[in-house]
């Protein structure tokens, strides 16, 4: 009884900050909202900010008299980030082509899976001309974006028989420019590289490769194994070339992403994979149809990669610079950056860099992607 009364009347002095709100998905601890407290906090945990609204927060602490006590307060999780409209100053379509222009242009939000997206202005797909329009978007928190652009309706192009000269990035030059004590130089391959002469590519300096395992035939489609997967992984392993895997996903939910991961695990169980397995999701032209927020998309990637981690595999998120900067939210997994340039200005963290898609290396007929692995990142 004495103990009960002592706890009941224990001294509690807690002063909170004036602004008891947190941004959606921000990292906020219990102590971030406390200005002063008469004791030592024993449960300074991260508050869940992955959903909007009021959140109950419980502070456990030992006061200055050595008594264990609790204090409760509330914060409000808010979203102040405007939707993203993936659009430049102009958009061009061919005369007579009937498309859903609003849906064709990527419009998404960090929190809202279906922001209100619409176009202001008049236009006619059947009449050649330039139409000044404004694309607008608003999420459920009231954050707004707009982008003025010109819709160019052009005549169907005449057939052009002149072929452009393909560009080439020599593997030997990449090796010369980027090989250090802290890097390895490699490639990523699929059936499109045909039959690879592995002796030649190893002699050329290829130290690792990512091999496409397969994917699905569209959203919720059947799974398939890349035609050259088995041949590629066996020969690479035999020659001591380090192997990573990538899977091209059309997942549209966490459930689908987990199903993808379990299929990947089943296919890989007979092989020795020394590098990560990458989640490759690139369905940006259909993004509006997926009803995913950027948080939902990133959470879906985490579901795929978490499932792989539980099975003993390292995980990796593959994406290009622009999408990493504007759409993907921070991830706990390493990144495979795609940015086709000689010197990337991407400011985020990355472990692998795919620097070109027009690579040329002895042993492969045709173009191949070339990659750099950074051992110290």
């Amino acid at each position: 009884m004495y103990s009960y009364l002592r706890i009941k009347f224990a001294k509690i002095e807690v002063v909170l900050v004036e602004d008891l709100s947190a941004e959606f998905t921000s990292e906020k601890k219990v102590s971030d909202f406390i200005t002063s407290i008469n004791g030592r906090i024993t449960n300074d945990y991260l508050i869940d900010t992955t959903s909007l609204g009021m959140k109950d927060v419980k502070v456990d602490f030992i006061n200055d008299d050595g008594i264990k006590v609790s204090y409760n307060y509330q914060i409000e999780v808010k979203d102040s980030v405007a939707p993203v409209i993936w659009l430049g100053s102009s958009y061009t379509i061919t005369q007579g082509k009937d498309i859903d222009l609003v849906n064709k242009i990527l419009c998404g939000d960090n929190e809202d899976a279906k922001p209100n997206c619409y176009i202001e202005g008049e236009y006619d797909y059947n009449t050649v001309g330039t139409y000044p329009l404004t694309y607008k978007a608003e999420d459920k928190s009231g954050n707004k974006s707009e982008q003025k652009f010109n819709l160019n309706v052009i005549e169907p192009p005449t057939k052009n028989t002149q072929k452009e000269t393909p560009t080439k990035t020599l593997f030997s030059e990449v090796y010369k420019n980027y090989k250090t004590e802290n890097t390895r130089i490699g490639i990523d391959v699929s059936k499109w590289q045909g039959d690879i002469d592995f002796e030649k590519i190893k002699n050329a300096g290829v130290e690792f490769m990512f091999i496409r395992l397969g994917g699905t035939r569209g959203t919720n489609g059947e799974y398939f194994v890349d035609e050259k997967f088995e041949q590629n992984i066996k020969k690479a392993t035999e020659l001591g070339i380090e192997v990573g895997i990538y899977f091209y996903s059309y997942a549209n939910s966490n459930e689908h992403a987990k199903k993808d991961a379990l299929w990947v695990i089943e296919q890989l169980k007979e092989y020795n994979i020394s590098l990560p397995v990458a989640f490759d999701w690139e369905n940006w032209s259909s993004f509006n149809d997926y009803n995913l927020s950027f948080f939902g998309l990133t959470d879906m990637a985490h579901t795929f990669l978490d499932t792989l981690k539980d099975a003993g595999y390292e995980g990796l998120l593959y994406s290009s610079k622009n999408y990493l900067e504007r759409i993907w939210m921070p991830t706990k997994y390493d990144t495979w950056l795609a940015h086709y340039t000689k010197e990337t200005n991407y400011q985020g963290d990355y472990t692998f860099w795919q620097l070109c898609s027009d690579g040329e290396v002895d042993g492969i007929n045709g173009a191949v992607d070339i990659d750099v692995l950074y051992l110290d990142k």
Side-chain angles (χ1 to χ4, degrees), residues 186-205:
I187 58 178
D188 56 272
V189 301
S190 68
K191 71 173 185 177
W192 304 113
Q193 277 66 52
D195 293 320
I196 299 171
D197 188 324
F198 279 80
E199 293 280 0
K200 286 185 177 180
I201 65 168
K202 184 171 184 180
N203 290 336

Side-chain angles (χ1 to χ4, degrees), residues 8 34 41 57 61 121 133 181 194 209 212 219 258 266 281 301 325 339 362 376:
K8 183 176 180 181
I34 298 174
I41 296 174
V57 181
F61 68 101
L133 304 172
E181 291 182 356
M209 65 166 52
R212 185 175 78 155
T219 305
K258 185 167 185 177
E266 180 65 22
W281 196 99
E325 290 176 335
H339 188 199
D362 191 25
D376 57 348

Side-chain angles (χ1 to χ4, degrees), residues 7 10 12 14 37 42-43 57-62 67-72:
I7 293 175
I12 297 176
V14 179
I37 189 168
T42 59
N43 67 333
V57 181
K58 181 182 179 183
V59 187
D60 294 329
F61 68 101
I62 299 174
I67 302 173
K68 293 182 179 180
V69 291
S70 297
Y71 179 82
N72 297 294

Side-chain angles (χ1 to χ4, degrees), residues 167-179 184-189 193 204-210 318 336-341 352-362 364 366-374:
T167 60
K168 291 182 181 180
T169 301
L170 300 180
F171 184 88
S172 58
E173 287 297 310
V174 173
Y175 194 94
K176 175 183 176 182
N177 292 332
Y178 299 98
K179 176 61 181 173
R184 292 177 187 155
I185 313 300
I187 58 178
D188 56 272
V189 301
Q193 277 66 52
V206 171
E207 297 172 289
F208 72 91
M209 65 166 52
F210 278 97
Y318 170 88
W336 179 5
L337 166 69
H339 188 199
Y340 300 159
T341 179
F352 295 85
W353 172 29
Q354 184 186 79
L355 56 84
C356 74
S357 61
D358 61 355
E360 183 178 272
V361 62
D362 191 25
I364 293 179
V368 66
D369 303 335
I370 301 179
D371 305 273
V372 180
L373 161 59
Y374 293 91

Side-chain angles (χ1 to χ4, degrees), residues 270-287:
E270 297 180 6
Y271 302 103
N272 181 26
I273 310 299
S274 56
L275 294 179
V277 178
F279 181 72
D280 181 5
W281 196 99
E282 303 178 46
N283 310 310
W284 307 113
S285 62
S286 302
F287 183 82

Side-chain angles (χ1 to χ4, degrees), residues 20 107 164 168 199 201 231 245 276 299 309 316 329:
L20 291 174
C107 177
E164 294 184 2
K168 291 182 181 180
E199 293 280 0
I201 65 168
Q231 174 179 306
I245 299 296
D299 193 49
K309 182 179 179 181
L316 189 67
M329 300 186 76

